[in-house]
Structures are given as structure tokens and as C-alpha cells.
Amino acid sequence: MLVRDGASGPEVFLQRRVKAMAFAAGMTVFPGGGVDASDAQAEIAWAGPGPAWWGERFGVDAARAQALVCAAVRETFEECGVLLAGPTADTVVSDTAAYAAARAELERRELSLGQFLARENLVLRADLLRPWANWITPVIEPRRYDTRFFVAVLPSGQRADGATSEALEVRWCTPAEALDRWRAGTDVLLPPTWSQLVNLGEFASTAEILAAAPTLEPIRPIFSTQNGQQRLNFPDNERYYAEFPGGIRLQGSRRVD
């Protein structure tokens, strides 16, 4: 979750996924993706809390934690051109245009994040990230993910773009605006995205967001029948379904028109 301070409070960067995607097609989501085998590469310049610290927060070993953090940094760069790295442990690049070719190589898996950082003499800034949540897809889903949510503030001088084949459109908006678009049926939000937007809407600044320490207990929604309808059980699900836009039906992670 990439955030920045705006005139009306914190804003979050959102993407509407193309309809050809195998999972959450057409949904509005945060930038992200899967862990690549190369993300576990041991030799990498690193600043901030180490893999063991991240492992304690997410309940995994240090090697897995390193892969998760590297995947978050890599996917953020691939999907919206924002790079959480710098020439030193206390700096961050202010313009990523010079790395456009490397970004394309990363997307094509011709280059690993570790190789890219080493080639450009850059340090991964793990201290710019915060752990936020852990959601696991329901067992009914044919594609299942154990998803870790991170939050980071847009570095000064950098801009998030929509130059990815996975996004139909992108926008910055406040969490409240994003939820209004969902209630109006303009955007479709799956429960994990909806939940994070509700949580982010409680903060008045990005500084407050970074200072927060949310609970990281895994959330694994389950299906149950309520009033003759199948619904997912997850924290605050009654509010989600009460505000769910009319005219839209979901079947798992797919929109049914």
C-alpha cells in the first residue's frame, strides 16, 4: 500500500486490474504480486530492520521474511515505478526514470532485484516499509494466496505511474473516496482491499500510518450461510455486506455480471 499526504489527508495509490488477469480480474487493488525465487537471494545491500525482525512480525523464518520484503520492493517498482532504495542506507532515489530499462528487465524476469541493486550500487530501504496485515484466501478459491500487506510512503521526487500491463487505470485518492467509489459501484473491492482502506481511513497523516503497529494475526475468511445466502466471514464483514453496491455480484474473487 503506497500512501502520500494530500490536501484532504492521506491518499493511497490504487490500480484497476485488467480483465484478463487470472485472479481478481477487473478489481481495484494495491500494487503487488507474488514472491519470486530470486527474492530470497542472500547477497543484498540492506538498510533498516533485518529479515529476523520481519520474520517475527509475519511469523515466518528469516529467509522467507527477506523474500517477502524483497518481493514488496520489486513489485512496487515493477508495477508503478516507485523504488524503495537509495545510494546509501539513509538516502532514497528521487527519480527512477534512469532505471526504466532495468524495470522492464525485472518484469520479464531477466534480472533479479539483487542483481539490479548490486549493478546500480543501491541499498534496499526496508526501513521505509511497515508490516500491516496478513490475509489468506478462502479454501474455496482455486487460486490461493498467503498475502502480506505492507505500507510505504511515496518517496520525495518519485511518482507512481500506470506503466504496467496488469493495470487498466490507476489513481491516487483518499481511502474515503475509494470507499465512496466502491459503494457507488464504480470500483469493485474484495474484502482484504476494503478492509485495508477502512483501516487507513482512520489516520490523519502518513506519519501516523507509519507509527501504527497493527495486529498481524492471519485472517482466513471462511464461507458460511447467513439468512439463506453464502457469505464470507471476516472482521467487520457485516459492514462490508451492508454497504455492498447493488447490481454487483461476486463469485469468489470474480465479478459475475
Side-chain angles (χ1 to χ4, degrees), residues 23 27 138 140-141 190-191 223 232 250-256:
F23 184 83
M27 307 294 176
I140 196 172
E141 285 285 352
L190 291 175
F223 271 100
L232 277 176
L250 293 180
Q251 186 175 43
S253 64
R254 295 188 299 109
R255 177 173 177 168
V256 181

Side-chain angles (χ1 to χ4, degrees), residues 35-239:
V35 173
D36 189 80
S38 66
D39 292 324
Q41 183 175 326
E43 298 299 324
I44 190 168
W46 185 290
W53 183 91
W54 288 96
E56 289 178 6
R57 269 72 186 168
F58 281 131
V60 297
D61 60 33
R64 183 62 175 172
Q66 174 173 309
L68 289 168
V69 173
C70 287
V73 172
R74 177 181 52 75
E75 287 284 348
T76 302
F77 183 44
E78 289 180 15
E79 292 206 356
C80 57
V82 172
L83 181 58
L84 302 175
T88 66
D90 57 0
T91 60
V92 62
V93 296
S94 59
D95 184 358
T96 64
Y99 307 116
R103 179 182 175 186
E105 289 180 282
L106 284 165
E107 287 185 296
R108 295 192 299 265
R109 297 297 181 265
E110 297 171 358
L111 185 70
S112 72
L113 178 68
Q115 290 169 336
F116 164 61
L117 295 176
R119 188 175 75 185
E120 302 296 338
N121 293 314
L122 295 174
V123 180
L124 183 148
R125 291 290 306 275
D127 56 324
L128 299 180
L129 288 160
R130 298 290 188 276
W132 197 261
N134 179 194
W135 283 62
I136 302 171
T137 45
V139 294
I140 196 172
E141 285 285 352
R143 287 176 177 265
R144 303 197 60 225
Y145 301 95
D146 188 352
T147 304
R148 270 71 176 196
F149 287 86
F150 296 78
V151 68
V153 175
L154 178 71
S156 178
Q158 294 195 36
R159 62 178 295 270
D161 62 35
T164 171
S165 61
E166 296 184 6
L168 181 65
E169 60 182 57
V170 300
R171 74 174 51 84
W172 284 97
C173 61
T174 66
E177 290 168 343
L179 292 170
D180 283 344
R181 289 175 61 89
W182 168 70
R183 294 186 194 98
T186 305
D187 293 332
V188 183
L189 303 176
L190 291 175
T193 312
W194 174 87
S195 179
Q196 309 323 311
L197 287 169
V198 169
N199 291 338
L200 289 175
E202 298 175 357
F203 298 92
S205 68
T206 58
E208 288 186 12
I209 292 173
L210 291 185
T215 302
L216 296 178
E217 289 294 325
I219 298 172
R220 190 197 313 261
I222 59 172
F223 271 100
S224 66
T225 301
Q226 300 176 16
N227 299 321
Q229 294 183 323
Q230 275 203 325
R231 288 187 171 182
L232 277 176
N233 284 326
F234 56 89
D236 217 11
N237 71 324
E238 290 297 331
R239 176 181 170 185

